[in-house]
Amino acid sequence: MALESVNKIQVEEDILRQLKRSMYTNIPSSFMEIIIDEVVPVIGVDFEGEKNVYVVKLSDNTRPDATISCKCSVMGNKKLRLYKVELNPVRQMVIDVSCLDKNLDLRVMLCTKKILTTLTDDEKSSISDLINSAVLDSDMKGGLRWPLGASSGGRFSVIGAWHTVTKAYKSSSFRLKVRDADRFDFKRGSGEATREIYLKLKRIVSEIQEPGAETDSICNMLRDSLRLIWEKFLL
């Protein structure tokens, strides 16, 4: 191969590396049906339940880098009931895999998250005011809207709204989520509706958290899990 050709290839690769890459998580409805009807019985997970959840994303002016996620259910009076407050997950590792001979690609991610359980009375009151002022509106992206001026409460401000309907399945090794998600980002002024599938590797997570966990054991479990994903999920 000529030196000129080698240099050209290197330049092209350098340009491609600098391009912004993104993983589009939306999948076809037909694939969702295949997972539920054909894959679920094979991998040995049992139906856990279906959840209809609204997530209100808040910014905190005392922690500019943090995003607070407020998970809510819907009460009989069509108002939100806050049941969990947590910080956005911290992604410790993200690997996007292009599966060239498959119809879908794969993202492998290791993340940690923190549930906020020690909120002060003032913090609880401010967050509750924002949650209580939300209005369910199926015509809005994210499924929620706020009266004019009610989406900001001093320290906390609404920066996003999600509406998710999730079917969950579990076994001792896995937790599978098949989810329809409708999101709106207040900062960007844009939203999207997606269908998503998440497979949490419960057994591996438990092993990682054990003191003195053996690397070889974790690698073997990860290899087996990836083989299962490759053979059963990536059609």
mmCIF file of all heavy atoms in Angstrom, residues 72-94:
data_model
loop_
_atom_site.group_PDB
_atom_site.id
_atom_site.type_symbol
_atom_site.label_atom_id
_atom_site.label_comp_id
_atom_site.label_asym_id
_atom_site.label_seq_id
_atom_site.Cartn_x
_atom_site.Cartn_y
_atom_site.Cartn_z
ATOM 1 N N CYS A 72 -42.907 10.054 39.961
ATOM 2 C CA CYS A 72 -44.262 10.271 40.471
ATOM 3 C C CYS A 72 -45.237 9.269 39.859
ATOM 4 O O CYS A 72 -45.104 8.876 38.697
ATOM 5 C CB CYS A 72 -44.752 11.682 40.133
ATOM 6 S SG CYS A 72 -43.627 13.017 40.595
ATOM 7 N N SER A 73 -46.213 8.889 40.661
ATOM 8 C CA SER A 73 -47.359 8.134 40.164
ATOM 9 C C SER A 73 -48.548 9.088 40.076
ATOM 10 O O SER A 73 -48.471 10.235 40.529
ATOM 11 C CB SER A 73 -47.667 6.956 41.086
ATOM 12 O OG SER A 73 -47.922 7.412 42.405
ATOM 13 N N VAL A 74 -49.639 8.610 39.492
ATOM 14 C CA VAL A 74 -50.824 9.452 39.324
ATOM 15 C C VAL A 74 -51.907 9.003 40.297
ATOM 16 O O VAL A 74 -52.243 7.820 40.370
ATOM 17 C CB VAL A 74 -51.361 9.377 37.878
ATOM 18 C CG1 VAL A 74 -52.585 10.274 37.712
ATOM 19 C CG2 VAL A 74 -50.275 9.791 36.892
ATOM 20 N N MET A 75 -52.446 9.954 41.039
ATOM 21 C CA MET A 75 -53.513 9.651 41.987
ATOM 22 C C MET A 75 -54.870 9.730 41.292
ATOM 23 O O MET A 75 -54.979 10.137 40.133
ATOM 24 C CB MET A 75 -53.456 10.642 43.160
ATOM 25 C CG MET A 75 -52.159 10.567 43.956
ATOM 26 S SD MET A 75 -52.164 11.621 45.435
ATOM 27 C CE MET A 75 -52.159 13.256 44.684
ATOM 28 N N GLY A 76 -55.906 9.352 42.010
ATOM 29 C CA GLY A 76 -57.248 9.330 41.441
ATOM 30 C C GLY A 76 -57.755 10.692 41.011
ATOM 31 O O GLY A 76 -58.598 10.800 40.113
ATOM 32 N N ASN A 77 -57.238 11.750 41.627
ATOM 33 C CA ASN A 77 -57.674 13.108 41.272
ATOM 34 C C ASN A 77 -56.836 13.710 40.144
ATOM 35 O O ASN A 77 -56.866 14.923 39.913
ATOM 36 C CB ASN A 77 -57.613 14.017 42.500
ATOM 37 C CG ASN A 77 -56.204 14.125 43.081
ATOM 38 O OD1 ASN A 77 -55.266 13.490 42.592
ATOM 39 N ND2 ASN A 77 -56.061 14.922 44.126
ATOM 40 N N LYS A 78 -56.064 12.850 39.445
ATOM 41 C CA LYS A 78 -55.234 13.265 38.309
ATOM 42 C C LYS A 78 -54.072 14.169 38.726
ATOM 43 O O LYS A 78 -53.517 14.894 37.893
ATOM 44 C CB LYS A 78 -56.073 13.974 37.236
ATOM 45 C CG LYS A 78 -57.211 13.138 36.677
ATOM 46 C CD LYS A 78 -56.702 11.889 35.984
ATOM 47 C CE LYS A 78 -57.842 11.087 35.371
ATOM 48 N NZ LYS A 78 -57.358 9.838 34.719
ATOM 49 N N LYS A 79 -53.707 14.124 39.990
ATOM 50 C CA LYS A 79 -52.540 14.856 40.465
ATOM 51 C C LYS A 79 -51.383 13.879 40.669
ATOM 52 O O LYS A 79 -51.581 12.673 40.839
ATOM 53 C CB LYS A 79 -52.844 15.580 41.776
ATOM 54 C CG LYS A 79 -53.985 16.578 41.692
ATOM 55 C CD LYS A 79 -53.690 17.719 40.737
ATOM 56 C CE LYS A 79 -52.640 18.662 41.296
ATOM 57 N NZ LYS A 79 -52.411 19.828 40.390
ATOM 58 N N LEU A 80 -50.176 14.414 40.655
ATOM 59 C CA LEU A 80 -48.996 13.575 40.825
ATOM 60 C C LEU A 80 -48.709 13.312 42.297
ATOM 61 O O LEU A 80 -48.898 14.184 43.140
ATOM 62 C CB LEU A 80 -47.776 14.247 40.189
ATOM 63 C CG LEU A 80 -47.814 14.482 38.673
ATOM 64 C CD1 LEU A 80 -46.513 15.130 38.213
ATOM 65 C CD2 LEU A 80 -48.058 13.181 37.913
ATOM 66 N N ARG A 81 -48.239 12.096 42.569
ATOM 67 C CA ARG A 81 -47.787 11.744 43.919
ATOM 68 C C ARG A 81 -46.306 11.398 43.843
ATOM 69 O O ARG A 81 -45.909 10.442 43.189
ATOM 70 C CB ARG A 81 -48.566 10.552 44.475
ATOM 71 C CG ARG A 81 -48.151 10.168 45.908
ATOM 72 C CD ARG A 81 -48.861 8.920 46.379
ATOM 73 N NE ARG A 81 -48.417 7.731 45.651
ATOM 74 C CZ ARG A 81 -47.337 7.018 45.962
ATOM 75 N NH1 ARG A 81 -46.563 7.382 46.983
ATOM 76 N NH2 ARG A 81 -47.017 5.946 45.258
ATOM 77 N N LEU A 82 -45.485 12.191 44.498
ATOM 78 C CA LEU A 82 -44.038 11.984 44.497
ATOM 79 C C LEU A 82 -43.680 10.793 45.390
ATOM 80 O O LEU A 82 -44.092 10.732 46.544
ATOM 81 C CB LEU A 82 -43.342 13.248 45.009
ATOM 82 C CG LEU A 82 -41.816 13.204 45.135
ATOM 83 C CD1 LEU A 82 -41.160 13.027 43.780
ATOM 84 C CD2 LEU A 82 -41.316 14.484 45.810
ATOM 85 N N TYR A 83 -42.919 9.836 44.836
ATOM 86 C CA TYR A 83 -42.534 8.687 45.662
ATOM 87 C C TYR A 83 -41.027 8.434 45.697
ATOM 88 O O TYR A 83 -40.547 7.645 46.516
ATOM 89 C CB TYR A 83 -43.260 7.413 45.218
ATOM 90 C CG TYR A 83 -42.865 6.863 43.865
ATOM 91 C CD1 TYR A 83 -41.781 5.997 43.718
ATOM 92 C CD2 TYR A 83 -43.594 7.185 42.724
ATOM 93 C CE1 TYR A 83 -41.431 5.473 42.487
ATOM 94 C CE2 TYR A 83 -43.250 6.668 41.480
ATOM 95 C CZ TYR A 83 -42.169 5.813 41.368
ATOM 96 O OH TYR A 83 -41.825 5.306 40.136
ATOM 97 N N LYS A 84 -40.253 9.104 44.843
ATOM 98 C CA LYS A 84 -38.806 8.905 44.901
ATOM 99 C C LYS A 84 -38.097 10.114 44.304
ATOM 100 O O LYS A 84 -38.519 10.643 43.279
ATOM 101 C CB LYS A 84 -38.390 7.647 44.141
ATOM 102 C CG LYS A 84 -36.901 7.312 44.254
ATOM 103 C CD LYS A 84 -36.532 6.106 43.396
ATOM 104 C CE LYS A 84 -37.120 4.831 43.919
ATOM 105 N NZ LYS A 84 -36.668 3.648 43.139
ATOM 106 N N VAL A 85 -37.027 10.544 44.983
ATOM 107 C CA VAL A 85 -36.196 11.645 44.490
ATOM 108 C C VAL A 85 -34.763 11.134 44.396
ATOM 109 O O VAL A 85 -34.221 10.617 45.374
ATOM 110 C CB VAL A 85 -36.254 12.872 45.423
ATOM 111 C CG1 VAL A 85 -35.391 14.004 44.865
ATOM 112 C CG2 VAL A 85 -37.691 13.342 45.613
ATOM 113 N N GLU A 86 -34.165 11.269 43.229
ATOM 114 C CA GLU A 86 -32.806 10.769 43.062
ATOM 115 C C GLU A 86 -32.022 11.663 42.121
ATOM 116 O O GLU A 86 -32.590 12.402 41.308
ATOM 117 C CB GLU A 86 -32.813 9.329 42.537
ATOM 118 C CG GLU A 86 -33.500 9.150 41.204
ATOM 119 C CD GLU A 86 -33.670 7.689 40.812
ATOM 120 O OE1 GLU A 86 -33.698 6.824 41.712
ATOM 121 O OE2 GLU A 86 -33.768 7.417 39.607
ATOM 122 N N LEU A 87 -30.708 11.605 42.255
ATOM 123 C CA LEU A 87 -29.832 12.313 41.333
ATOM 124 C C LEU A 87 -29.707 11.516 40.043
ATOM 125 O O LEU A 87 -29.816 10.289 40.043
ATOM 126 C CB LEU A 87 -28.450 12.513 41.953
ATOM 127 C CG LEU A 87 -28.367 13.451 43.160
ATOM 128 C CD1 LEU A 87 -26.946 13.479 43.705
ATOM 129 C CD2 LEU A 87 -28.814 14.861 42.797
ATOM 130 N N ASN A 88 -29.481 12.218 38.948
ATOM 131 C CA ASN A 88 -29.303 11.531 37.680
ATOM 132 C C ASN A 88 -28.156 10.527 37.769
ATOM 133 O O ASN A 88 -27.147 10.786 38.441
ATOM 134 C CB ASN A 88 -29.007 12.539 36.570
ATOM 135 C CG ASN A 88 -30.219 12.774 35.696
ATOM 136 O OD1 ASN A 88 -31.345 12.454 36.074
ATOM 137 N ND2 ASN A 88 -29.998 13.335 34.521
ATOM 138 N N PRO A 89 -28.281 9.380 37.100
ATOM 139 C CA PRO A 89 -27.206 8.377 37.149
ATOM 140 C C PRO A 89 -25.876 8.943 36.653
ATOM 141 O O PRO A 89 -25.838 9.759 35.734
ATOM 142 C CB PRO A 89 -27.718 7.276 36.213
ATOM 143 C CG PRO A 89 -29.197 7.456 36.167
ATOM 144 C CD PRO A 89 -29.427 8.930 36.298
ATOM 145 N N VAL A 90 -24.810 8.503 37.294
ATOM 146 C CA VAL A 90 -23.461 8.849 36.850
ATOM 147 C C VAL A 90 -22.943 7.692 36.005
ATOM 148 O O VAL A 90 -22.863 6.555 36.477
ATOM 149 C CB VAL A 90 -22.523 9.090 38.048
ATOM 150 C CG1 VAL A 90 -21.100 9.368 37.559
ATOM 151 C CG2 VAL A 90 -23.033 10.245 38.897
ATOM 152 N N ARG A 91 -22.614 7.971 34.768
ATOM 153 C CA ARG A 91 -22.156 6.919 33.862
ATOM 154 C C ARG A 91 -20.668 6.665 34.075
ATOM 155 O O ARG A 91 -19.826 7.476 33.715
ATOM 156 C CB ARG A 91 -22.432 7.317 32.414
ATOM 157 C CG ARG A 91 -23.921 7.474 32.113
ATOM 158 C CD ARG A 91 -24.161 7.867 30.666
ATOM 159 N NE ARG A 91 -25.582 7.924 30.355
ATOM 160 C CZ ARG A 91 -26.061 8.153 29.132
ATOM 161 N NH1 ARG A 91 -25.218 8.356 28.127
ATOM 162 N NH2 ARG A 91 -27.364 8.179 28.930
ATOM 163 N N GLN A 92 -20.367 5.521 34.660
ATOM 164 C CA GLN A 92 -18.974 5.153 34.902
ATOM 165 C C GLN A 92 -18.321 4.580 33.649
ATOM 166 O O GLN A 92 -17.107 4.681 33.467
ATOM 167 C CB GLN A 92 -18.901 4.119 36.038
ATOM 168 C CG GLN A 92 -19.640 4.507 37.303
ATOM 169 C CD GLN A 92 -19.000 5.665 38.035
ATOM 170 O OE1 GLN A 92 -17.885 6.073 37.720
ATOM 171 N NE2 GLN A 92 -19.693 6.209 39.023
ATOM 172 N N MET A 93 -19.143 3.974 32.800
ATOM 173 C CA MET A 93 -18.631 3.383 31.562
ATOM 174 C C MET A 93 -19.761 3.314 30.551
ATOM 175 O O MET A 93 -20.887 2.934 30.892
ATOM 176 C CB MET A 93 -18.100 1.965 31.819
ATOM 177 C CG MET A 93 -17.577 1.259 30.570
ATOM 178 S SD MET A 93 -17.361 -0.529 30.819
ATOM 179 C CE MET A 93 -19.075 -1.094 30.804
ATOM 180 N N VAL A 94 -19.485 3.704 29.315
ATOM 181 C CA VAL A 94 -20.457 3.579 28.230
ATOM 182 C C VAL A 94 -19.724 3.061 26.999
ATOM 183 O O VAL A 94 -18.741 3.660 26.552
ATOM 184 C CB VAL A 94 -21.134 4.925 27.895
ATOM 185 C CG1 VAL A 94 -22.112 4.741 26.736
ATOM 186 C CG2 VAL A 94 -21.862 5.482 29.109
#
